[in-house]
Amino acid sequence: SIHSFPTRRSSDLGTVGLGMLIGPIWALYKVEPSNKRLGIISGFIVVFYVLVVVATTAKLFESLAAVAAYSAVLMVFMQIQK
């Protein structure tokens, strides 16, 4: 069976997803010490994991795979220097 979200909820999830990609870029650009950058990345990873668990029907290994991919993207963002 196909599960679909109401239009409003789908729009909200899209906005949150976009914020989860753009937010870390700006936050990491503004912060210089690596330990603070790692703290920001850790916070976004935890929030992303919670969102995946709450907003999807993904199994545990699927959730962890999504979080691993997201973590890799954030680590690339961390390497971007001013």
Side-chain angles (χ1 to χ4, degrees), residues 13-29:
L13 288 175
T15 302
V16 170
L18 187 61
M20 292 296 293
L21 290 174
I22 294 174
I25 294 172
W26 282 96
L28 293 174
Y29 179 76

Side-chain angles (χ1 to χ4, degrees), residues 10-12 26 36 43 62-63 71 75 78:
S10 178
S11 175
D12 291 345
W26 282 96
K36 288 185 180 182
E62 295 167 333
S63 299
S71 301
M75 290 308 293
M78 183 177 165

Side-chain angles (χ1 to χ4, degrees), residues 28-63:
L28 293 174
Y29 179 76
K30 296 289 184 182
V31 175
E32 190 58 38
S34 292
N35 60 342
K36 288 185 180 182
R37 291 174 138 206
L38 287 174
I40 290 169
I41 288 173
S42 298
F44 274 99
I45 289 170
V46 169
V47 170
F48 182 78
Y49 178 73
V50 169
L51 289 173
V52 168
V53 169
V54 170
T56 69
T57 59
K59 297 176 182 160
L60 177 62
F61 71 91
E62 295 167 333
S63 299

